[in-house]
Amino acid sequence: MNFLKTIEKKAKQKPVKVVICEGWDERCIEATGIILKEKLANIVLLGDPETIKRAAKALKADISGAEIVDYKHSGLKKEFIEKLVEVRKHKGMTKEEAHKLIEDENYFACLYALCGYADAVAGSKICPTAALMRPTLQILREPGKLVSEVSIVSMKDKTYFMSDLSLNIQPTTEDLVSITMNAIDVVRIFEIEPKVALLSFSTKGSGGNTPQTELIREAVAIVKKNDKKVIIDGELQGDAAVNPYAAKRKCPDSPLKGEANTLIFPDLTSSNITCQLLWQFADLQFETTILKGLQKPVAILGRSTPTSAVRNMVAGLAMQVNSK
């Protein structure tokens, strides 16, 4: 399927407002011009208005339809400070601490969304991922929910949903269940039937009974109980999950038949190493990432991604808002 067309169609269903943390970044400014022209979303750029306007003029980007919010001097700061104290009072947050944090564009953007001024947040175009993830988890996490990332990639004529590639270092059984259920929800946004493989160094006991394989089997059993319709199996090695030839010989009774489209990694070490190497060695097309378990959608734009990726990820945020 054409993922971008699906994203664009859902993004345009109704107007969505996205706040971009680092509104002065050239790629964010260029992407804003494209997004507004294509009517994919309404945009709020955080930063000094004169700096942003000068950059847009130099880039020949028409951002006249965007809102520009000078977060350093915003009249909303008092409201956001009080909200941050309220949200973080269980951690002993004081007004003095909140006043300092609100000076950061990432904290301001998350509160901007939480307080209803925007529907979604995009950032981490200049700063490290952790600088945006910290306020995201502190402010926008859904109570009682595990936050996980689903990355969508295409290779040749196939598309895969992979999780979790950035947040959960050593998932417990319960965490793995949440990661899997989050991924299933994302796949269904695209009106695709999830075919889920929980990955391992072992296929159906070939690696013996270990704490790692037992954890995966328990997670599979719980997901099956929670979702009677989902096609899921594990533990499976990578080839058994996505290669029908290998599956026929290693796990002929698997309901996946080597045609998994949703790959759940057992831990962050295996997922991150695998995907970082894939980016280098394989003809892989990165589509977008989606964070689940948040009150408002957030996109990690990435410091090395081009303007086109910013455009696509912001459109993906609008799609998520319109898919709720």
Side-chain angles (χ1 to χ4, degrees), residues 117-146:
Y117 295 99
D119 303 299
V121 177
S124 190
K125 201 78 198 83
I126 300 171
C127 68
T129 298
L132 176 55
M133 282 309 306
R134 191 175 300 111
T136 294
L137 296 175
Q138 291 177 358
I139 296 167
L140 295 176
R141 183 199 294 267
E142 244 185 292
K145 296 279 188 176
L146 177 135

Side-chain angles (χ1 to χ4, degrees), residues 270-303:
S270 61
S271 68
N272 196 272
I273 290 173
T274 298
C275 290
Q276 290 293 342
L277 289 175
L278 280 174
W279 305 152
Q280 302 302 316
F281 296 152
D283 184 16
L284 196 73
Q285 175 66 41
F286 170 79
E287 302 289 357
T288 189
T289 63
I290 292 177
L291 289 169
K292 289 288 290 181
L294 300 172
Q295 297 180 61
K296 301 277 188 172
V298 175
I300 305 297
L301 299 177
R303 286 174 285 177

Side-chain angles (χ1 to χ4, degrees), residues 298-312:
V298 175
I300 305 297
L301 299 177
R303 286 174 285 177
S304 63
T305 53
T307 297
S308 58
V310 177
R311 178 259 189 202
N312 295 345

Side-chain angles (χ1 to χ4, degrees), residues 183-199:
I184 290 169
D185 287 345
V186 169
V187 179
R188 287 175 174 158
I189 288 176
F190 291 91
E191 299 174 1
I192 296 173
E193 181 178 36
K195 296 181 180 180
V196 188
L198 273 69
L199 302 177

Side-chain angles (χ1 to χ4, degrees), residues 229-240:
K229 295 182 179 179
V230 71
I231 302 172
I232 185 170
D233 203 6
E235 82 281 11
L236 295 176
Q237 291 167 288
D239 58 347

